[in-house]
Structure formats: C-alpha cells, structure tokens
Amino acid sequence: MNEHLSSWIEYLHNKVALKNTFGANVPALDNLMLARLVIDQPGGVYISLNFPSLPSGSPSRWSTRGCDGVQLRLSFHDLAQLSITGAYEGNLEVAASFGPDRCFSISHPEFRIALNYGYATADMYPYD
C-alpha cells in the first residue's frame, strides 16, 4: 500500500461508502473510546471505537435524528500478526492509526494493540 495515502479511509476495502459519508472532512482517529475488542477464532478482529461527539463533516441527517455520537466499527480479516500489550479496563481513551503494509494500531499509555491484516472494512453507527 502507498505510504502517502490521504486518510485512514484509503486503507479500507469499503472506502467508497465512508468517503461518501465524510467527503473531504475525514475525522482523525484520536481521543476515541475503545468500546469493544473481539478476537474471532477464524482469524478476524473486530474493534469498535466511539467518537466523543459527531465529527465535523458528519451527515446532517445524523444530528437531525438526534444523534450526538458515532461508533466506528472496524473489521480486520486474514490476520498475519496480532499483539496486545497492557490491560484494558472500561472507558479507555485511545488513538488509532493505519499504516503502510496493512498495519493497524491502537495506543494508550497503558494499553496497545498492533496487527497486520489482509483486508479491513469499517462501518459508522450514529447514536444518541
């Protein structure tokens, strides 16, 4: 993969849907709450991250429906490597990032996840 991709959305298999959601206003993956981490036996990892508020550029229909937050649900498949360091207890504020060579990481001073994947997808779920 290209090391100079314009946003994290570019690393996703279903990037067109998310590009249509945010256009040029792609939110940063900083100051997110780790809501869920699931390691599936066949080699998938599912991570849910909550934005503390609706990101700038969110569709107006979300706020019209009364939503004030959004959850990013990431799915990683065909894992080549997975590393988890530290402890995860409750409301953990993290930063997430995609990198070249199909790498993804989540970091917090006391907790870290790093993985290499074959492909990744994401969905956004607004909530109130």
Side-chain angles (χ1 to χ4, degrees), residues 3-117:
E3 290 184 42
H4 305 289
L5 298 178
S6 59
S7 80
W8 57 269
I9 290 177
E10 296 296 325
Y11 292 95
L12 300 170
H13 190 70
N14 64 332
K15 62 185 158 214
V16 173
L18 289 172
K19 281 183 180 180
N20 289 339
T21 300
F22 290 106
N25 297 317
V26 176
L29 298 180
D30 297 327
N31 304 316
L32 304 174
M33 299 305 289
L34 179 58
R36 184 172 62 151
L37 168 63
V38 176
I39 301 169
D40 193 20
Q41 187 173 358
V45 171
Y46 306 96
I47 298 172
S48 297
L49 301 166
N50 292 342
F51 286 87
S53 61
L54 287 178
S56 173
S58 294
S60 59
R61 67 182 180 277
W62 291 356
S63 58
T64 302
R65 291 191 322 218
C67 298
D68 57 4
V70 66
Q71 184 175 83
L72 172 63
R73 295 181 186 170
L74 297 164
S75 300
F76 299 95
H77 302 278
D78 299 333
L79 293 184
Q81 182 178 1
L82 172 63
S83 170
I84 301 174
T85 308
Y88 164 41
E89 294 184 29
N91 300 318
L92 192 63
E93 187 175 294
V94 298
S97 64
F98 285 84
D101 299 325
R102 294 184 175 101
C103 295
F104 176 79
S105 65
I106 290 180
S107 60
H108 177 272
E110 299 173 15
F111 182 75
R112 179 169 167 75
I113 298 171
L115 57 91
N116 293 84
Y117 58 92

